[in-house]
Amino acid sequence: MEVLLLVLDLIGTFVFALSGATAGVRRRLDLFGVLVLSFAAANSGGVVRDLLIGAVPPAAISDWRYLAVATAAGLITFYRAALIERLRNPVRVFDAAGLALFAVAGAHKALAFGLEPVMAAVLGMLTGIGGGIARDLLLAEVPLVLRAELYALAALAGAAVVVAGSLLQVPLPLTLGLGAGLCFGLRLMAIRHGWRLPIARPPGASPQDVPDA
């Protein structure tokens, strides 16, 4: 089972690194900047998770494979950006995949370290959204989680499935798959259909005055 969780973590690291590197290429960063952005997007959520539950040093800086995976994704994106861009809206697709994988892996790791179910689900959500927040802040943008269609709620839903499955003693691979599928599906449907929470409007502002995500 530890191997399964490591694989999920590394796949999540790779796809989040792709989203960070793609955003960096679009902003015309140099090679070093793209690699920094890919590593930050890929590992920030996991580092925060590990620090909060006391799993130190965090896996992202104690296991060379995390750096290797993030670097590989950054190099692929930097030198083959046209290939990555063939996917429809690739940053959001990769971001949704990373969100789903990190949310379920984060929730399970929190449970394994003895957190209460509710807080394990919250930590799973924080694990999922951490990479996107780091990516956007480094690019001087308002984080996607604060302005886009359902994002944190999708991560929380996926993490909650893992927690519920643990309480009901459902086989872990099934709950991980269901949780990741729910999170990824919700995120993609939100992107496609514009599902979102109510947006704050300053007094006297019309709906047209509120910027889109």
Side-chain angles (χ1 to χ4, degrees), residues 30-42 138:
D30 63 16
L31 176 59
F32 182 74
V34 169
L35 293 179
V36 168
L37 202 60
S38 67
F39 182 82
L138 286 172

Side-chain angles (χ1 to χ4, degrees), residues 102-122:
F102 272 7
V104 298
H108 175 73
K109 191 166 185 177
L111 288 172
F113 273 74
L115 265 68
E116 294 296 323
V118 172
M119 295 314 299
V122 171

Side-chain angles (χ1 to χ4, degrees), residues 2-97:
E2 290 184 3
V3 174
L4 173 62
L5 292 174
L6 176 62
V7 169
L8 284 177
D9 236 12
L10 291 177
I11 294 174
T13 297
F14 185 78
V15 293
F16 254 141
L18 287 176
S19 81
T22 302
V25 169
R26 288 180 172 180
R27 295 291 289 271
R28 301 184 63 82
L29 302 185
D30 63 16
L31 176 59
F32 182 74
V34 169
L35 293 179
V36 168
L37 202 60
S38 67
F39 182 82
N43 293 294
S44 296
V47 168
V48 171
R49 172 199 65 201
D50 290 351
L51 290 176
L52 288 176
I53 63 178
V56 292
I61 60 175
S62 63
D63 188 333
W64 64 270
R65 288 172 290 191
Y66 289 84
L67 175 61
V69 167
T71 300
L75 291 173
I76 290 170
T77 306
F78 187 85
Y79 289 108
R80 292 291 183 268
L83 178 63
I84 301 298
E85 288 287 354
R86 289 177 186 174
L87 292 176
R88 183 177 179 270
N89 208 346
V91 173
R92 285 193 168 187
V93 172
F94 294 138
D95 187 82

Side-chain angles (χ1 to χ4, degrees), residues 10-12 14 21 23 62 83 89 135 161 173 182 184 191 205 208 212:
L10 291 177
I11 294 174
F14 185 78
S62 63
L83 178 63
N89 208 346
R135 177 197 64 219
V161 169
L182 176 62
F184 185 70
I191 293 171
Q208 291 77 15
D212 293 331

Side-chain angles (χ1 to χ4, degrees), residues 16 41 95 128-137 143-144 151:
F16 254 141
D95 187 82
I129 68 178
I133 291 175
R135 177 197 64 219
D136 294 342
L137 289 178
L144 192 66
Y151 192 85

